[in-house]
Structure formats: structure tokens, C-alpha cells
């Protein structure tokens, strides 16, 4: 069944469940909010219900209820590769069902048909100064594509039945995601390959076409792209990029406007930029020793860093309390395809030593690695050495999740978001009255 029909078949059940919750349990109290939480980034306050993915502190991310190992095992693969077709992952995110081979390939075909970029997007990219950050270009290009929004056009000409909005959002989502590999590859080529243009090839899947267009032809790199794009596609609905795009979308802004907003959040150093810091840190250690250090040497180095209260990039997490399964999946990939790589060996040596040192130090809530502790290592091995670009890779994948959240928000008729802000005086008076 194609993705639109599958969603349509599921829609009545989901709408009824949501309506029943609001109707029968509308006054049920989910949480209290403390002053500390208000001043602390609304940390841990449930503000969103989304069934696309959920981060369990002890297990890591589950996409539509499936863990990372399950997703990697169950999703259909291309004939030429060993990791899943990203089209299959998108089908799973959008519908909640593991696709058949045919259903996964259908999405890949939909993407090929819709992958053409209008000329004005190239013009926008070319008009920017050479030193523009690739994430700025990425967000700008998505915004430039807003001219193509089917929802914006239909809304202007008068679809006003809310129950029908989702169909235009799904079309916009398929169109935008279809264009992302061409878009990202063009930014890479513009920045780092003298602006050459490489056509996508009709016989390649979404991920391997990206690899091809940036000039990385090793079959293993195409598999790394498939793995990376699956792993980074979503991380619940309340992180900065997901929440930013949801918020913008709640004003009925279309998929392009919403995803560009999400990418602006992802471009922040506390969100998507962390992966380049981790690789930089590993390279610094190798430079310090002039080679991969021995275990005892690294132990002393790490003890000294922690003694100076340095933050070790790639370790810790706001929600997770175990090793990030996305770290594990990429470590397994590296063990299989690049076990002798020096930076990978160093990353694994850090993994061997650091968690127990962090536990001894007793401050950090999660002493284990997050996905960023390894992301850059693998890209670096395959020659993607332009650190600035790593967040675009992350964004290319994350838009799969963002567009799914936005489409389902319209399916469920979620209203405009409008929480409340207080003044310090009002808060002080509330406390005094207690
Ligand atoms: N190395 C050393 N100390 C650390 C640490 C690390 N990697 N992570 C946390 N700590 C320290 C904190 O500085 C804090 O110390 P303090 O009490 O003296 O201020 C203490 O441990 C408690 O912090 P926490 O509650 O465990 O972490 P948090 O939820 O506030 O922050 C995170 C989580 C990820 C921002 C933090 O662990 C960190 O900065 N890690 C390194 C950067 C990183 O890997 N970022 C990527 C995160 C993944 C992602 O979202 N992309």
C-alpha cells in the first residue's frame, strides 16, 4: 500500500484516540512545573505527545516502538547494500508500520520523481559569500524552496477544511525530503569542490545518490550514509529542532518554513554542532601524543582533563543513562569496515577508560558516550573532512523526522501553540502567596 493510503487507513483510529483522551481525561494532571524547571530550559516538562519516536533513558531511541537494532534488522535493504533503504525508514516513521521491500522502494521512486531543484535555489546559494556556513546555506535553500509549497498555494486558494490539510503537508514533505540529497550535495560541492554539479543517478537509492554526488564512490560509504541517515532521523518531539519546527508549523506555516526554522536550531553549538567538537578533540589527543596513545598514557591524560573540570565532548546526555545505541551501531559499522583506523581505535580506547573515570568523579548523570562521540570519526575516515558540513548531514537526516511530526500534527489537528510567560514580579508574588 502506498504511504498516503496507509496513513489514511490509520487516521480514524489515531484521531479517535486523541479526541477520547481530551474529552474523557482533559483535566488529568500530567506534571507540576517548578521554578527551577522554568529557569532551567523547561527540562523534563512534558509538553508534547508524538508517536514518531521516543527516547527511553535506559534503552535509547525507539522509532515507532522499534529499537535501533530492530530497525536495522527489519527494514528492507537495497540489492547492492548491507544497510537499510532510507525510503523504508521514512515509510516506518510516517505510517508506524515496517514496510515490505516494495513499499520501501516505492518511497525511493517517489523521491526520484520529485528530486528536481528549481533554478532559483541554485541562484540563492551562489549569491552568498564563499565563507557562508553550510548550515546557513542549507536553511536558506529550504526557505527558497518554499515557493513550491503545495499547502501554501492550496490554502491561499481556499482549502479550509482542516481535516484535509495533512494531504498537502504529506505532498510537501515528500517533495522536500526528495530534494535534500541534491540540495546538500550541491552545498558540499559549492563549498569544497569548486561548485561542480553532479547529476543524481536513476539507479541509486536516496542515500547512495548523496554519496555519489559528493564524489564518494566507495560502496562502504554509501552504506555508512544509509546507516547515518537512519540513525539521525528523529529523537522525540521536544528537542530544539523538533520543537522549533513544530512551533512554527502550529501557526500553519508550511513544511518548508517549519523545517528551515528547525535547521536554524540545529545549527546551534549546543545542539547539532557537537559532533564536530568530538572529532576535533580526538584529533587533538592524537596530535598531542604524535600517535594513538597507549592505555596508561590516555588514562593519565583523561584524569588530568577531568581534574581541570574540562567537559569531555561526546560523553553525557540530558535524557539517556546508557551508551547511546546510535554510538553502538556506528561502532559496530567501524569494527566491520575500518577496524584499523587510528581515530576509531582512539575513540574506542576513550570509551574503554572514560566512563569509569566519570563515575569516580561523581558529577555527570550519564558517564557513557552519546552518538556524537563517534559520528565524525566515520565521516573523517571516508574523506569527509570538512567539519562544518557535519551538521548538514545531521539536518538532511533529521528532516525525515521533522516532516513526519509536522504531517501528523496536521492529521491530528493540533492547534497553534501558545504557552504562557510570566514576569519575575508575578512569579515572586505567586511564591509569597503560598
Ligand atoms: N565531561 C565532563 N563533565 C561533564 C560531562 C562531560 N562530558 N557532561 C556533564 N558533565 C558535568 C557537568 O558539567 C555538570 O557539572 P557541574 O555540576 O559542575 O555543573 C555535571 O556533570 C552534571 O551534568 P549532567 O546533568 O550530567 O549533564 P546535563 O544534562 O546538564 O548536560 C550534556 C548534558 C550532553 C550537555 C553534557 O553531558 C555535555 O556537555 N556533554 C559534552 C558535550 C556533548 O557531548 N554534547 C552532545 C550531546 C548529544 C546531543 O544532543 N547531540
Amino acid at each position: 500500500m502506498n504511504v498516503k493510503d496507509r496513513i489514511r487507513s490509520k487516521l480514524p483510529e489515531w484521531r479517535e484516540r486523541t479526541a477520547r483522551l481530551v474529552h474523557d481525561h482533559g483535566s488529568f494532571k500530567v506534571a507540576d512545573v517548578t521554578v527551577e524547571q522554568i529557569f532551567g530550559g523547561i527540562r523534563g516538562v512534558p509538553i508534547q505527545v508524538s508517536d514518531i519516536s521516543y527516547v527511553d533513558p535506559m534503552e535509547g531511541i525507539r522509532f515507532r516502538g522499534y529499537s535501533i537494532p530492530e530497525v536495522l534488522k527489519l527494514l528492507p535493504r537495497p540489492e547492492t547494500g548491507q544497510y537499510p533503504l532510507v525510503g523504508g525508514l521514512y515509510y516506518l516513521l510516517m505510517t508506524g508500520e515496517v514496510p515490505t521491500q516494495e513499499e520501501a522502494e516505492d518511497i525511493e521512486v517517489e523521491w526520484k520523481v520529485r528530486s528536481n531543484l528549481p533554478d532559483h535555489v541554485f541562484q540563492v546559494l551562489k549569491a552568498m559569500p564563499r565563507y557562508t556556513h553550510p548550515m546557513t546555506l542549507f536553511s536558506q535553500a529550504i526557505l527558497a524552496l518554499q515557493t513550491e509549497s503545495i499547502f501554501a498555494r492550496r490554502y491561499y486558494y481556499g482549502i479550509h477544511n482542516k481535516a484535509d490539510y495533512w494531504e498537502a503537508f504529506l505532498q510537501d514533505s515528500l517533495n522536500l525530503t526528495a530534494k535534500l540529497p541534491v540540495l546538500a550535495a550541491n552545498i558540499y560541492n559549492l563549498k569544497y569542490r569548486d561548485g561542480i554539479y553532479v547529476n543524481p543517478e536513476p539507479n541509486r537509492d536516496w542515500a547512495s545518490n548523496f554519496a555519489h554526488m559528493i564524489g564518494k564512490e566507495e560502496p562502504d560509504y554509501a552504506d555508512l550514509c544509509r546507516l547515518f541517515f537512519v540513525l539521525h532521523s528523529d529523537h522525540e518531539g521536544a528537542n530544539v529542532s523538533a520543537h522549533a519546527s513544530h512551533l512554527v508549523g502550529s501557526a500553519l506555516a508550511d513544511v518548508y518554513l517549519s523545517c528551515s526554522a528547525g535547521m536554524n536550531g540545529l545549527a546551534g553549538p549546543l545542539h547539532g554542532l557537537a559532533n564536530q567538537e568530538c572529532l576535533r578533540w580526538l584529533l587533538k589527543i592524537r596530535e598531542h601524543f604524535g600517535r594513538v596513545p597507549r592505555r596508561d598514557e590516555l588514562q593519565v591524560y583523561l584524569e588530568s582533563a577531568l581534574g581541570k573540570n574540562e567537559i569531555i565532548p561526546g560523553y553525557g546526555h540530558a535524557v539517556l543513562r546508557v551508551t547511546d545505541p546510535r554510538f553502538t551501531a556506528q561502532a559496530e559499522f567501524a569494527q566491520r569496515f575500518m577496524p584499523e583506523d587510528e581515530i576509531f581505535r582512539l575513540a574506542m580506547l576513550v570509551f574503554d577508560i572514560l566512563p569509569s573515570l566519570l563515575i569516580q568523579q561523581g558529577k555527570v548523570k550519564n558517564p557513557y558516550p552519546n552518538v556524537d562521540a563517534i559520528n565524525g570519526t566515520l565521516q573523517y575516515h571516508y574523506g569527509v573532512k570538512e567539519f562544518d558540513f557535519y551538521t548538514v548531514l545531521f539536518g538532511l537526516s533529521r528532516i525525515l523526522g521533522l516532516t513526519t511530526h509536522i504531517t501528523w500534527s496536521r492529521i491530528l489537528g493540533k492547534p497553534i501553540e501558545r504557552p504562557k510567560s510570566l514576569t519575575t514580579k508575578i512569579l515572586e508574588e505567586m511564591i509569597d502567596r503560598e
Side-chain angles (χ1 to χ4, degrees), residues 382-396:
Y382 286 101
V384 182
K385 297 193 170 174
E386 300 82 3
F387 292 6
D388 277 0
F389 192 73
Y390 291 171
T391 314
V392 175
L393 292 175
F394 187 167
L396 167 58

Side-chain angles (χ1 to χ4, degrees), residues 43 271 274 306 310-318 358 363-366 370 372:
R43 184 70 65 91
H271 193 10
L306 290 179
E310 281 179 25
I311 300 282
I312 311 294
Y315 281 73
H317 199 272
L358 285 169
K363 281 202 306 187
V364 61
K365 293 196 188 69
N366 175 28
N370 59 60
D372 289 322

Side-chain angles (χ1 to χ4, degrees), residues 372-384:
D372 289 322
I374 195 158
N375 272 339
T377 304
L378 277 71
Q379 296 298 328
Y380 197 77
H381 174 83
Y382 286 101
V384 182

Side-chain angles (χ1 to χ4, degrees), residues 245-263:
S245 65
H246 171 78
L247 176 66
V248 172
S250 82
L252 278 189
D254 58 62
V255 161
Y256 300 91
L257 297 168
S258 305
C259 286
S260 175
M263 289 304 101

